[in-house]
Amino acid sequence: MAPPPVSIDALQRLERDRFVALFGGVFEQAPWVAEAAYRAGPFASLEALHAAMVDAMRRAPRERQLALIRAHPDLAGRAAIGGALTAASSAEQASAGLDRCTPAEFERFRDLNDRYKQKFGFPFILAVKGRTRQEVLAAFEHRLDHSTEAEFEEALNQIARIARLRLADLIRP
């Protein structure tokens, strides 16, 4: 269960440990992003916090960025079917209907996940909240034609979008 939203006013007064506890899951299994961003505070807005967190992600060594990308689950993959996603990932995938795929759609996602990881060495990442299964599948197909470097950059861009959506659920005006 997600913690109750924190106000912008309260955000500015959070101690480091509480800050990391609240925002450590915004970037999938990477509390180091929140730890690094904390040093840039206090934050007067959600946008300022998001910018600091994205900056921390972008300044990280490539190996750490790759680990962050690889921490993301496959879309409609084995972890989703087995109920092993984080609460945030589960809610995001459900919002796009990925928890209600037909057997044929699950098979298509499995095939695309496998092909994508074989080509790029990391999972396909897309901010799926507000999208349909068909839109997700179309993005998957389109991005399989990209270069590894383009997809690495796009994965980081998508992670930043996911983080923005997650922060919006954690911070109230």
Side-chain angles (χ1 to χ4, degrees):
M1 180 171 198
V6 63
S7 70
I8 294 295
D9 184 53
L11 171 65
Q12 295 180 35
R13 296 187 313 271
L14 289 175
E15 297 289 331
R16 183 191 163 285
D17 290 347
R18 180 74 177 129
F19 181 92
V20 173
L22 281 171
F23 301 114
V26 168
F27 285 73
E28 196 84 11
Q29 300 178 32
W32 60 265
V33 175
E35 290 169 359
Y38 179 80
R39 294 187 285 274
F43 305 101
S45 67
L46 183 155
E47 290 74 22
L49 172 57
H50 180 249
M53 294 182 93
V54 170
D55 184 61
M57 173 189 71
R58 293 283 183 184
R59 289 178 179 269
R62 186 173 176 93
E63 301 79 34
R64 196 163 218 193
Q65 292 173 338
L66 181 59
L68 171 63
I69 292 169
R70 286 181 173 158
H72 283 75
D74 289 346
L75 294 178
R78 291 172 191 88
I81 294 168
L85 298 178
T86 64
S89 287
S90 182
E92 290 155 3
Q93 290 200 28
S95 78
L98 301 186
D99 60 335
R100 297 180 303 280
C101 289
T102 65
E105 287 171 326
F106 274 124
E107 180 57 29
R108 187 166 174 210
F109 271 106
R110 187 200 57 74
D111 177 60
L112 288 167
N113 280 315
D114 289 349
R115 287 173 43 208
Y116 187 95
K117 284 191 292 191
Q118 182 177 12
K119 180 175 180 178
F120 299 113
F122 49 83
F124 175 79
I125 300 174
L126 181 69
V128 298
K129 193 172 186 177
R131 297 179 189 257
T132 66
R133 287 191 302 269
Q134 293 72 29
E135 290 171 325
V136 174
L137 287 165
F140 229 136
E141 293 280 359
H142 173 74
R143 286 176 46 195
L144 271 168
D145 292 332
H146 290 175
S147 69
T148 299
E149 197 53 42
E151 274 306 293
F152 190 92
E153 184 62 27
E154 185 60 24
L156 294 178
N157 291 338
Q158 292 297 320
I159 289 169
R161 286 187 180 139
I162 293 165
R164 175 62 177 81
L165 294 167
R166 289 178 178 181
L167 284 172
D169 290 339
L170 294 172
I171 299 173
R172 69 177 185 273

